[in-house]
Every structure is written in structure tokens, then in C-alpha cells.
Amino acid sequence: MAISASSFPVRTRVGTVHLVGAGPGDPELLTLRAARLLGQAGLVVHDGLVAPEILALTHPDAEMISVAKARSRHSMPQDQINALLVREALAGRDVVRLKGGDPFIFGRGGEEAEACRAAGVPVEVVPGISAAVGCAAEAGLPLTHRGLSSAVTFVAGQCKGLTDQNWAGLAGHDRTLVIYMGVATAADIAEKLIADGITPAMPVAVLEKGTRADSRTLVSCLADLGRLVAEERVQSPALIVVGDVVRQIEPDGIKARFAPELETIA
């Protein structure tokens, strides 16, 4: 739904919408600019997966609006979030739109920026450490590694039409596949990748709540991915990493391991 400036009463000053990446969870991974904006903000519109420790860094007098989203359950639809940002900015308020990870990697930051600019609202994007980069670093998992992977692909695991997408070639020899939002469809994802030609023995890591105090690194082979997620009761936020780079994870950091052939990880 297009949003125009004429849809809202406009004051003399138009505020700026700051699309701010909160990173994967650890507040020490915030950029300096993100931390400064949080400390100054009068209005923070935040996702549900933003860690409480990061929300605690906001100004004591800031108005906090949660627009939490969960699978099949949104507290506020995306078009209403867009309208909220535009309305508050056109009313003269600067808005910090706080998103987990990076705003432009599966964060719908592009949609929100588009809506704001169409309504004449200035937008600033403050990048954050993406979940893939931050969680992989904590696990000691290099997304690229000479001789193992020279390419990385990010995909969303709960997109409509999952079975219609062609993932052939995205994982396997010299490639790493990082799957966001794949917990609920983990078994289907494994089945799909195997059908698309990936060996069932391909190493897989599940990075649950990465960089947070209760994070876990779980390792399996592709064929056992669904069982790993189910039996370990993996909860979001979690990433699935598929590829030979999983073998680089330090054994002491692994909280659960399935499949005997992965005992050689070192």
C-alpha cells in the first residue's frame, strides 16, 4: 500500500527515520552510532527479537513501541509499521527503528525505507552486524575458508513456495549456505536440499540465540537436521549453516552433535 505525505498532517519540521541494526544480541556488538542514537532517541520502534540488554540502552524517557513478529503471528502488519514510521516522522519526531541483525538482511528495512521516502521522510540506515556474521564468529565458524568455501548465500527458510525454489548449487563443494528463519521448516529444508543434489552427509550447524548468554551451537549432518532441531527443541532466533566449513567449529564449543561421521570435526 503506497503511503503519501498528504495522508498525514505535516508540521513544519519533518523528522528522520533511522533504520538501526541491533546486531545478533550482544550489546557490545552495537556500532557506536547505533548506541548513540539509542541513547538520544525519543521514540524507538523495535522488533521482538531485539535483546533486552540492548533495549536497556535506550534513553530513560524514550517511548518504546514493540512491533514484534513471530511465525504466523504479527503484533502489527508491515503496512501498519510503515504507516507508523511515516506518521511519527511527519509529526516532527525523529524515530529509531531498531531491528535485529542488519536492517537490510531479511529485516524488511528496504520496504520501510521505500515507504518513508515515498512520503517525503528522510531515512538514515545504520548497519548492524548481521546474525550470520555475528553468530558464526561466536561459534568459530568461518563462512568462507580457503579450500572449503569461496561463496556464501543467505536464504530465508520460511518463504512461501519453499518447495518451488531452486537451491541447487547453493551448498556443497566450495560453497556455504546460511538459512534464516528455518527452525520451523528444518526437516523440509533438509529434504529439499537433498532432493536438489546435496549429499545427506553434508555437515550442518544450527546456531541458536547466537552471541547471547544462552546461545548454543548444534552440529549434525543434513540428513539428521530435522531430528536435531526437534529433539533439541531449538528456538528462534536460530540460523542453519550448511557446508564443509562447519567442520572448522571448535569441538569444545559444540553443545550437541548428531551423526557419528561428524565426530572428526576439528
Side-chain angles (χ1 to χ4, degrees), residues 118-265:
V121 172
V123 176
E124 179 197 18
V125 181
V126 180
I129 293 178
S130 70
V133 172
C135 299
E138 180 192 48
L141 194 169
L143 296 178
T144 64
H145 190 79
R146 186 161 57 177
L148 294 179
S149 176
S150 61
V152 183
T153 302
F154 301 151
V155 300
Q158 66 175 36
C159 289
K160 294 180 180 178
L162 176 65
T163 56
D164 297 330
Q165 298 179 61
N166 181 10
W167 287 0
L170 298 187
H173 178 66
D174 206 33
R175 296 178 183 275
T176 303
L177 178 62
V178 181
I179 304 168
Y180 285 68
M181 300 172 286
V183 170
T185 54
D188 294 333
I189 286 170
E191 182 179 348
K192 173 178 177 49
L193 287 172
I194 293 171
D196 284 349
I198 307 303
T199 174
M202 179 62 66
V204 175
V206 177
L207 310 179
E208 180 186 34
K209 300 180 181 178
T211 79
R212 305 186 186 199
D214 55 350
S215 67
R216 291 195 298 169
T217 297
L218 315 175
V219 169
S220 177
C221 65
L222 186 58
D224 271 346
L225 175 61
R227 182 165 69 99
L228 172 71
V229 168
E231 293 191 11
E232 290 295 322
R233 298 182 179 181
V234 176
Q235 297 180 350
S236 295
L239 294 173
I240 299 170
V241 181
V242 183
D244 285 325
V245 291
V246 171
R247 296 186 183 277
Q248 298 298 309
I249 297 175
E250 286 292 331
D252 291 345
I254 297 173
K255 302 296 174 61
R257 179 190 284 116
F258 281 44
E261 61 267 32
L262 291 178
E263 293 294 335
T264 59
I265 287 180

Side-chain angles (χ1 to χ4, degrees), residues 31-101:
T31 65
L32 292 174
R33 183 157 184 77
R36 180 173 63 78
L37 285 170
L38 282 177
Q40 297 175 344
L43 172 61
V44 177
V45 179
H46 63 91
D47 288 343
L49 293 180
V50 175
E53 295 84 356
I54 291 177
L55 295 179
L57 299 176
T58 57
H59 192 280
D61 297 328
E63 178 184 356
M64 308 292 289
I65 299 178
S66 173
V67 291
K69 295 181 180 179
R71 183 175 173 84
S72 302
R73 187 178 72 256
H74 296 175
S75 63
M76 185 179 293
Q78 187 61 51
D79 61 344
Q80 292 184 23
I81 296 174
N82 297 348
L84 168 66
L85 300 177
V86 170
R87 181 175 64 248
E88 294 297 332
L90 291 179
R93 303 183 74 182
D94 291 330
V95 183
V96 168
R97 174 68 174 102
L98 189 62
K99 295 173 168 292

